[in-house]
Amino acid sequence: MTDATPAATPTAPTPPAWTKHAIVWQVFPLGFTGAPVLAPEGDPADPASPAGALAGEHRLLRLIDWLDYLVELGCNTLALGPIFASMSHGYDTVDYFRIDPRLGTNEDFEALAAAAHQRGVRLILDGVFNHVGKGFPAFAALPGLGPDSPEADFFHLTWPADWAPGTAPDYQRFEGQDWLPVLNHASPAVADLVVEVMEFWLERGADAWRLDAAYAVDPAFWTRVLPRVRERFEDVFFVGEVIHGDYAQIADTSGMDSVTQYELWKAIWSSLETSNFYELTWTLKRHKAMLAHFVPWTFLGNHDTTRIASQLTDPARLPHAIALLLTLPGLPAIYYGDEQAFRGVKEERLGGDDAIRPAFPSSPAELSTLGEGTLRLYQELIALRRRLPWLYRAGLETLHLDNRLLSLSLSAPREQGAEGGQEQEIVLVLSLEEHEAWLPTSGRHQVLAAGGGSVRAERDGVVVPSLGWAVLA
């Protein structure tokens, strides 16, 4: 995507109203609950089998004890990583209609959904609809079914000319991984399956879907799926995982409500780590342009990335990242543990995600006190965002820029206005200097939040301390 290339004419529907106030806590349930790495053998309905024994532990229900923590943090939405029956990490699905026995049962999900909704918390599920695991029944049966079977239409297959029963076809693999056959998104049967899965879980308490690896799926596929689901569930929300490409065009042509803002994720940690706010402001120009089409899903980390506390060599720069996430326009998501300054490095090896998908204790009371300062900062800035709901789609202008100093103006959209009918504006100032620094704020001196020490007014700006930051009105 380049600034010179216009995106497609917007066609995506208006996102449901609840998303304008959504602040997400994102959890990877298999890691969070300390589930075994590999799926157990046997029938989950048989308590005597390994699968049945694990299902009987009802690990998914442990999340209920964390719902009040989520609310006290300031969030109102819980995004779950993959929870359907799979072979290992959850992204190799074998049964879309059954909770992974390592997590429990379908009834456990319904209990979690009911407990969440009692607290006003929405649930987002992770839909892995680009590919399945090799153990997916329709794929595993192919050697015996042959090229003329309905199951063969579910995948991209190459059959030997002299095929005989028992001979497996070659197949398209997701990112070269043998255990992840790619679904054939040109097949009406695949579209029907995805619609059926989405509606099945929406009926049982889900409110929204994250579309895993949406970047690998033809956007036209979603136009054959999402409108059908919206016909029955008007308030459903869809966010696609998109890493590269023209975000606005993908959102417009697919009908997804939002996509993941990986450009901004990278620019935040990279600009803070290298003292280069030029990188951030370049990305913010693109971010601002996206807002004319959709509101991006913003984040500092997730189940696929090194944690922000590990990305930044200097922990004094972590508050700057948090301030950016919670004041910039977007739909912000907080990856579990980031609010406690958890550390963890993603490695490109087998098991390389384990450090960023850790087990949590059975209750918040068992957390270490080491992260309390970061937790309080998240709570303070989330509370500020709640008072300024127009930040969801705020206007954005740069007041001052150099490598180590940045002043940003954020304002309520003119066509929308702020609550009470009056346009509002705040200014975010960030300093990476090792000494006091002055930044312009258009005369805004009232400190709404700050870090690093005291902030004092001077002329039409403020002086912030070494490695300081502030939000001003």
Side-chain angles (χ1 to χ4, degrees):
M1 180 170 62
T2 65
D3 289 340
T5 304
T9 301
T11 58
T14 302
W18 63 266
T19 61
K20 296 179 182 179
H21 303 277
I23 298 178
V24 180
W25 196 51
Q26 182 182 3
V27 169
F28 191 80
L30 289 169
F32 185 97
T33 63
V37 174
L38 298 177
E41 297 181 354
D43 181 1
D46 178 8
S49 72
L54 267 179
E57 295 181 11
H58 304 288
R59 291 172 184 257
L60 194 62
L61 295 179
R62 298 180 189 178
L63 281 165
I64 293 177
D65 291 332
W66 286 86
L67 291 174
D68 291 337
Y69 172 88
L70 176 159
V71 172
E72 290 167 5
L73 176 60
C75 298
N76 58 2
T77 305
L78 174 61
L80 298 177
I83 59 173
F84 308 137
S86 66
M87 298 168 61
S88 60
H89 47 49
Y91 292 102
D92 43 9
T93 312
V94 296
D95 189 343
Y96 286 112
F97 298 96
R98 179 165 53 84
I99 295 297
D100 196 303
R102 291 172 291 174
L103 294 173
T105 66
N106 288 16
E107 291 74 20
D108 294 338
F109 171 77
E110 293 181 34
L112 172 61
H117 292 158
Q118 287 172 1
R119 294 164 172 82
V121 173
R122 303 273 184 164
L123 275 181
I124 302 177
L125 296 188
D126 204 344
V128 188
F129 301 125
N130 174 67
H131 52 272
V132 295
K134 284 186 68 175
F136 190 74
F139 183 82
L142 287 172
L145 297 175
D148 297 324
S149 65
E151 288 81 359
D153 191 45
F154 271 66
F155 305 96
H156 298 276
L157 306 173
T158 302
W159 295 89
D162 56 349
W163 177 83
T167 304
D170 196 8
Y171 56 95
Q172 183 176 331
R173 298 153 173 83
F174 176 56
E175 297 183 346
Q177 300 177 77
D178 288 342
W179 63 94
L180 299 179
V182 173
L183 289 166
N184 175 17
H185 296 98
S187 167
V190 171
D192 290 345
L193 171 65
V194 174
V195 170
E196 184 182 3
V197 171
M198 287 183 170
E199 293 185 343
F200 180 88
W201 293 105
L202 289 168
E203 290 169 354
R204 286 158 179 78
D207 298 288
W209 286 93
R210 172 189 179 271
L211 306 176
D212 180 67
Y215 58 87
V217 179
D218 181 354
F221 172 75
W222 303 113
T223 68
R224 300 189 292 272
V225 170
L226 306 189
R228 293 167 60 185
V229 179
R230 287 189 175 107
E231 284 180 7
R232 287 193 57 200
F233 300 92
E234 295 180 355
D235 260 0
V236 67
F237 172 74
F238 299 102
V239 54
E241 181 194 18
V242 177
I243 301 175
H244 307 291
D246 187 330
Y247 291 1
Q249 184 178 52
I250 292 171
D252 287 346
T253 58
S254 68
M256 293 184 288
D257 295 298
S258 183
V259 302
T260 50
Q261 227 302 28
Y262 269 92
E263 288 186 3
L264 183 60
W265 160 78
K266 193 271 180 182
I268 289 176
W269 69 258
S270 180
S271 64
L272 292 174
E273 176 65 10
T274 63
S275 300
N276 180 14
F277 280 135
Y278 286 95
E279 177 185 2
L280 178 60
T281 53
W282 172 255
T283 302
L284 288 176
K285 290 178 183 178
R286 295 161 63 83
H287 187 71
K288 180 179 177 179
M290 292 175 200
L291 292 168
H293 299 262
F294 72 100
V295 175
W297 174 284
T298 54
F299 57 98
L300 298 179
N302 60 33
H303 61 288
D304 283 329
T305 67
T306 291
R307 287 192 180 270
I308 183 65
S310 293
Q311 295 276 23
L312 300 176
T313 305
D314 184 356
R317 302 186 182 201
L318 178 59
H320 299 60
I322 300 168
L324 284 164
L325 174 68
L326 293 172
T327 57
L328 289 176
L331 197 166
I334 301 160
Y335 186 54
Y336 81 104
D338 279 359
E339 77 283 357
Q340 296 277 349
F342 273 33
R343 302 179 66 83
V345 176
K346 177 182 174 66
E347 300 179 13
E348 298 300 328
R349 59 173 179 80
L350 187 65
D353 294 322
D354 293 351
I356 58 174
R357 302 174 182 179
F360 255 39
S362 59
S363 74
E366 299 175 54
L367 283 171
S368 166
T369 60
L370 294 176
E372 285 183 352
T374 302
L375 177 65
R376 287 194 295 271
L377 177 58
Y378 267 98
Q379 290 173 321
E380 178 186 5
L381 289 174
I382 290 173
L384 175 61
R385 191 177 183 92
R386 289 262 176 250
R387 297 198 301 272
L388 306 172
W390 48 262
L391 286 172
Y392 171 76
R393 205 163 198 156
L396 185 63
E397 300 294 339
T398 301
L399 302 179
H400 178 82
L401 168 66
D402 63 45
N403 280 329
R404 303 174 70 89
L405 295 171
L406 179 63
S407 180
L408 295 173
S409 168
L410 298 115
S411 57
R414 292 183 180 277
E415 69 277 8
Q416 172 187 319
E419 291 186 1
Q422 299 298 316
E423 185 178 43
Q424 294 183 14
E425 179 182 356
I426 62 171
V427 173
L428 172 66
V429 293
L430 304 171
S431 173
L432 301 180
E433 296 288 5
E434 301 288 345
H435 51 75
E436 283 191 340
W438 178 88
L439 292 106
T441 64
S442 297
R444 298 187 178 275
H445 296 144
Q446 180 187 356
V447 177
L448 303 180
S454 61
V455 176
R456 68 176 187 273
E458 188 173 296
R459 304 191 307 279
D460 64 342
V462 295
V463 176
V464 295
S466 169
L467 291 168
W469 62 272
V471 182
L472 305 123

